[in-house]
DNA sequence: CAGCATCCGGTTGGATACTG
DNA sequence: CAGTATCCAACCGGATGCTG
């Protein structure tokens, strides 16, 4: 087994201030990554993002976009027209984050079958070897 | 703005069968990534993993390791000794996944400050410009 | 040592209804 | 169109106590 990794901070309680955790806690929710992905090709309006994802509720999209904006991953531009028009666009920060996630996405696409196979093949420990 | 990304699957309802989501749903929880990280350098016993992380409960560690094992990211080896001894080790699949996460970890470490700064500088929309 | 079972509070996120 | 507010169910995860 290779160990493609620098040592994690030694000692105890590394979860709290760990930057990866802080980033992943946001990106790792149900929708953030997906929103970043659909925004990657081009700037989109609220409804366009919603349509692109399909099964996200208005509430969660709004909330997710707000958080992404807050963390500096997307910009929110309001045009004072009627009806209102709001555009969301990846920032450089968001783009650079997404670039690091790209390999992960490719990996997931390539290895998803293997993971699913592992899940299917899995037998829980101590089945008590019944009959 | 650059767009360092292939287009996401068009149409609707892409969340369900999206491999990235399926992978991230596991890795994105509170502990999975951390466990993978501490296992990266070397095989560890249950208690060693627990100590390495510090503030994970026995319940969550057990549960997390089980899921990681089920997905094929770690192996679980039981030595029929007394007291019992169980070792956890990254599989190749887990190692390759971790390799794709490495850039993300580095990014997080490098840009954490910027994200935090963005959060602090953020002002919610329509503050109603009070006084 | 390495867990599992139970309880139980906080958070996540969906459905719905309403607003500028 | 682009949200906000409210309600509510499901799930996550911590604390504790008990086993082989």
């Amino acid at each position: 087994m290779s160990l493609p990794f620098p040592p994690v901070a030694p000692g105890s309680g590394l979860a709290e201030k760990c930057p990866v955790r802080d980033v992943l806690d946001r990106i790792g929710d149900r929708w953030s990554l997906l929103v970043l992905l659909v925004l990657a090709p081009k700037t989109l309006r609220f409804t366009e993002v919603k349509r692109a994802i399909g099964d996200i509720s208005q509430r969660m999209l709004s909330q997710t976009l707000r958080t992404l904006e807050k963390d500096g991953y997307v910009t929110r531009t309001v045009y004072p027209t009627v009806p209102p028009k709001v555009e969301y666009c990846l920032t450089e920060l968001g783009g650079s984050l997404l670039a690091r996630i790209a390999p992960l996405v490719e990996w997931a696409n390539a290895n998803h079958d293997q993971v699913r196979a592992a899940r299917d093949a899995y037998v829980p420990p101590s089945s008590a070897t019944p009959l």
Side-chain angles (χ1 to χ4, degrees), chain A:
Chain A
M1 189 54 36
S2 57
L3 41 144
F5 228 77
V8 69
S12 56
L14 49 84
E16 305 316 315
K17 56 282 208 63
C18 174
V20 209
R21 283 301 324 285
D22 192 35
V23 170
L24 265 260
D25 272 356
R26 306 301 190 115
I27 251 47
D29 71 353
R30 192 154 181 69
W31 300 113
S32 293
L33 177 60
L34 235 32
V35 170
L36 289 180
L37 288 179
V38 303
L39 282 180
K42 58 194 278 273
T43 296
L44 291 178
R45 301 178 57 173
F46 185 89
T47 310
E48 292 175 325
V49 176
K50 180 153 171 39
R51 247 198 315 273
I53 295 184
D55 50 358
I56 187 174
S57 67
Q58 217 169 19
R59 169 171 162 19
M60 288 317 295
L61 178 55
S62 178
Q63 188 173 301
T64 301
L65 283 168
R66 217 40 71 92
T67 302
L68 293 177
E69 186 200 359
K70 192 172 175 183
D71 282 15
Y73 297 142
V74 307
T75 59
R76 177 173 180 271
T77 311
V78 181
Y79 297 90
T81 60
V82 41
K85 171 176 174 178
V86 181
E87 284 188 343
Y88 292 91
C89 178
L90 270 194
T91 63
E92 271 199 49
L93 191 68
S96 76
L97 170 60
L98 215 39
R100 311 314 158 94
I101 294 181
L104 188 56
V105 175
E106 288 169 33
W107 186 93
N109 283 318
N111 297 80
H112 193 207
D113 289 347
Q114 196 171 342
V115 173
R116 308 239 293 178
R119 282 181 200 161
D120 293 344
Y122 178 78
V123 282
S126 77
S127 311
T129 47
L131 306 190

